[in-house]
Amino acid sequence: MSLLTQSPSWRALADHREALAGTPIRELFERDTDRASRFSLDAAGLFVDYSKNPIVDDTITRLVALAREAGVDAHRDAMFAGERINRTENRAVLHVALRDRSGAPRMVDGVDVSPQIAAVLSRMRRFSGSVRSGAWTGYTGREITDIVNIGIGGSDLGPKMVCEALRPYGHERLTMHFVSNVDGADIVEALKHADPETTLFIVSSKTFTTRETLTNAHTARAWLLASGAPEEAVARHFVAVSTNTEAVSAFGIDTDNMFEFWDWVGGRYSLWSAIGLPIALMAGMDAFEQLLDGADAMDRHFADAPLERNLPVLLAMIGIWHQNFLGTTSQLIAPYDNYLHRLPAYLQQLDMESNGKSVTLDHARVDYMTGSVIWGEPGTNGQHAFFQLLHQGTAVIPADFIVCMQPHHTLNEHHDILVANCFAQSEALMNGSRSVDEPHRNFEGNRPTNTICVDTLNPASLGALIALYEHKVFVQGCVWRINSFDQWGVELGKKLAVVIEKEFALSGPIESHDGSTNQLINRFRAWRKTTRV
Ligand code: F6P
């Protein structure tokens, strides 16, 4: 048994589970009229009601004891201090420095990185300002109309999710496109109606070695040149965001057009860096800085609030309660806001790439569950699709509902229906309804939810919301004693793809893999031989 599952606080929670078993959440409300306000919290402009969970005061006390025993506060302080907490890559984890608006020095290996951060922010301001104003033009002097971000994973999901969320703040002339997949269909569709003379490409890659991104970037470059643009046009139409100056220059992008970030910014934590350039271009640099402000407010709450009243800590520990003690294996994210439709996909990478680990920092195999499956779709669409399983299926799936009080439109009837549905779903999931005569109408209830309320979805509230989830993931990683900042699990598939790609061009049957893989490769090769022009 691991040290964690033998620890006094873990065992205290296991005992508590037995004591609480059999008491439905609805009964907890009947017993305790003050419950809703006690299990709710305002922080950094967000209001979170976590009372519809199977918890009582004692649960929180015991969960916080587990967080303390796991050293969550010390780990948090180490992260904020720029220590190399990403041990397998020997790196600091300092995305919080990117949004530290205090101007205080931020040290990494004895060097204050805040001047570098400020310098990149001011370059982003200059560049985004000139594209937005029309001063930066394409090679024929025409203003930019389309911006294509080429990146994948953290170099795509964050800026794309934020650009979608902040659409009401968008620039009239600029249309944003995001190309991530190496499937040629992605770039073909993005460029179908684009004009080479007015299209700007941002090649975003932390490493600048990612096969998908470089393949798409080469295709984009060829597309520009094939339209008759001269070689010098590349400088007007391509900028790069990366930590790898050499590779950017080898690709042929002038390093004057490169926006730098640093190895202490993890890919899935990078939207606060120059990876956020599409956000600045679309919504303006003021909006981008407000996004940083919102995240900074959540960082300060996370750093300063006592663990008992600390929102990321509470959401993380309630998640641990569900997963490690009550046996849930997945988590639904249901934004009741269409602008947040990419949030579930973004949180999938954040959570699953961070905490999908099974070895501890001490190299031991875990004997408890770590990261769970994160998935979701906006409400109310999900209600007419998969909510059936939430209400009457055999698996209990905790859900986060995210809802904005004030919409960006004036269709009040729509908004009332939307919000009513959000509140009704969490009520129905918790209370259920009993039907003795018709078992198919029976709803057991007791399905947990958190409701996260945002006043208006603006850059600051969005920044706070994203930072809330980042820190939630961090706290869970601390308790599970895993490294939330590496992603070695993605490497094997990348290596094998290189081998297989080479085999497509060989002659004679491929027999070096397992029977299934050989068969698939040989089928594709046969097809490729007869159909390729
Ligand atoms: O393969 C996984 C990964 O490394 C992610 O962690 C990262 O966000 C993504 O690929 C893209 O990496 P890069 O920004 O270096 O192209």
Side-chain angles (χ1 to χ4, degrees):
M1 282 225 297
S2 62
L3 287 176
L4 178 61
T5 54
Q6 286 175 57
S7 68
S9 55
W10 189 278
R11 292 161 86 120
L13 280 158
D15 293 343
H16 180 65
R17 170 185 51 204
E18 306 310 320
L20 209 60
T23 314
I25 312 170
R26 63 174 174 272
E27 238 177 82
L28 300 175
F29 273 93
E30 284 159 17
R31 284 187 203 167
D32 175 3
T33 50
D34 194 30
R35 176 180 173 83
S37 65
R38 242 186 18 269
F39 293 137
S40 296
L41 199 58
D42 280 286
L46 307 180
F47 173 73
V48 181
D49 180 337
Y50 54 95
S51 63
K52 290 192 184 90
N53 281 292
I55 53 168
V56 292
D57 292 315
D58 197 19
T59 325
I60 296 294
T61 308
R62 290 173 195 235
L63 285 169
V64 169
L66 175 62
R68 278 221 168 82
E69 209 169 85
V72 164
D73 26 19
H75 281 103
R76 173 200 61 200
D77 296 347
M79 174 172 74
F80 277 77
E83 288 178 28
R84 292 177 183 243
I85 60 168
N86 176 356
R87 291 205 219 147
T88 58
E89 295 178 324
N90 193 26
R91 287 177 185 162
V93 174
L94 212 50
H95 47 280
V96 291
L98 300 168
R99 59 215 193 194
D100 179 353
R101 314 294 286 156
S102 71
R106 282 294 195 159
M107 309 306 285
V108 176
D109 297 333
V111 176
D112 178 10
V113 294
S114 54
Q116 302 169 36
I117 297 170
V120 173
L121 282 175
S122 76
R123 285 193 63 215
M124 285 171 71
R125 179 172 284 282
R126 262 200 313 280
F127 179 68
S128 59
S130 69
V131 172
R132 286 164 62 82
S133 72
W136 179 286
T137 62
Y139 75 101
T140 56
R142 289 172 61 197
E143 291 178 348
I144 299 298
T145 58
D146 291 81
I147 296 173
V148 184
N149 188 78
I150 298 178
I152 197 165
S155 302
D156 165 73
L157 289 162
K160 182 170 176 176
M161 180 272 287
V162 173
C163 283
E164 286 296 311
L166 299 183
R167 255 170 185 268
Y169 298 82
H171 190 287
E172 262 189 5
R173 197 186 65 245
L174 299 173
T175 304
M176 309 303 295
H177 309 264
F178 289 84
V179 170
S180 54
N181 203 336
V182 76
D183 181 342
D186 204 3
I187 194 156
V188 163
E189 289 299 325
L191 298 184
K192 216 174 211 169
H193 305 293
D195 181 341
E197 289 182 28
T198 60
T199 300
L200 174 72
F201 293 95
I202 307 171
V203 185
S204 279
S205 174
K206 177 174 172 180
T207 54
F208 228 79
T209 58
T210 304
R211 194 75 204 279
E212 289 90 334
T213 299
L214 292 188
T215 305
N216 278 320
H218 280 290
T219 301
R221 196 172 187 277
W223 173 81
L224 175 70
L225 298 178
S227 73
E231 191 69 35
E232 309 81 74
V234 172
R236 302 298 301 169
H237 291 267
F238 278 80
V239 298
V241 181
S242 187
T243 59
N244 188 347
T245 316
E246 260 173 42
V248 168
S249 163
F251 175 86
I253 296 180
D254 190 337
T255 47
D256 281 353
N257 293 342
M258 170 181 159
F259 296 84
E260 189 195 6
F261 69 113
W262 308 274
D263 72 357
W264 41 265
V265 182
R268 54 193 172 274
Y269 299 88
S270 63
L271 74 84
W272 320 102
S273 71
I275 289 287
L277 187 61
I279 305 166
L281 284 160
M282 188 205 78
M285 196 61 192
D286 289 347
F288 184 72
E289 294 202 348
Q290 286 156 18
L291 184 83
L292 302 182
D293 291 339
D296 186 31
M298 185 56 75
D299 292 346
R300 279 183 281 114
H301 166 77
F302 179 49
D304 299 337
L307 300 191
E308 292 76 4
R309 299 298 285 163
N310 194 308
L311 208 44
V313 174
L314 288 168
L315 292 190
M317 299 313 295
I318 290 170
I320 285 179
W321 178 234
H322 287 305
Q323 252 178 260
N324 296 112
F325 296 93
L326 305 176
T328 66
T329 54
S330 96
Q331 152 92 62
L332 168 67
I333 307 290
Y336 276 75
D337 189 302
N338 236 39
Y339 289 120
L340 287 175
H341 72 106
R342 291 296 297 169
L343 184 69
Y346 169 79
L347 293 180
Q348 253 168 9
Q349 186 198 17
L350 174 66
D351 200 318
M352 295 169 80
E353 203 173 61
S354 296
N355 285 345
K357 314 282 164 68
S358 44
V359 171
T360 68
L361 289 163
D362 311 312
H363 314 297
R365 167 95 204 174
V366 298
D367 60 359
Y368 43 85
M369 195 188 151
T370 60
S372 65
V373 177
I374 306 292
W375 60 287
E377 273 291 319
T380 59
N381 296 359
Q383 291 172 208
H384 297 274
F386 53 79
F387 269 50
Q388 164 63 32
L389 186 146
L390 300 187
H391 287 288
Q392 290 187 314
T394 49
V396 172
I397 299 176
D400 281 1
F401 289 171
I402 301 159
V403 62
C404 300
M405 299 289 113
Q406 212 179 314
H408 281 287
H409 56 74
T410 52
L411 301 172
N412 292 338
E413 188 194 351
H414 287 246
H415 196 60
D416 287 352
I417 297 172
L418 177 76
V419 177
N421 269 278
C422 173
F423 298 165
Q425 286 299 322
S426 68
E427 187 180 29
L429 284 164
M430 177 179 74
N431 286 336
S433 86
R434 276 134 295 283
S435 171
V436 182
D437 301 337
E438 296 181 292
H440 59 279
R441 289 186 190 273
N442 204 44
F443 290 70
E444 282 172 14
N446 214 30
R447 315 279 159 133
T449 54
N450 295 309
T451 303
I452 302 178
C453 301
V454 178
D455 189 8
T456 315
L457 185 62
N458 58 30
S461 60
L462 182 63
L465 181 68
I466 302 167
L468 169 64
Y469 277 104
E470 283 181 349
H471 295 320
K472 173 195 166 186
V473 167
F474 171 80
V475 170
Q476 293 188 328
C478 291
V479 173
W480 291 325
R481 294 200 50 73
I482 55 179
N483 182 357
S484 300
F485 299 102
D486 61 11
Q487 56 284 320
W488 296 100
V490 300
E491 295 303 323
L492 178 59
K494 285 186 195 171
K495 277 197 200 119
L496 295 182
V498 173
V499 173
I500 292 175
E501 195 191 329
K502 285 196 183 126
E503 287 171 345
F504 289 158
L506 298 180
S507 54
I510 297 297
E511 288 166 348
S512 51
H513 304 262
D514 59 88
S516 164
T517 310
N518 287 337
Q519 169 176 268
L520 294 167
I521 294 172
N522 289 323
R523 276 219 155 213
F524 178 66
R525 289 168 75 230
W527 172 87
R528 191 177 178 268
K529 212 176 191 167
T530 54
T531 59
R532 282 279 161 93
V533 277

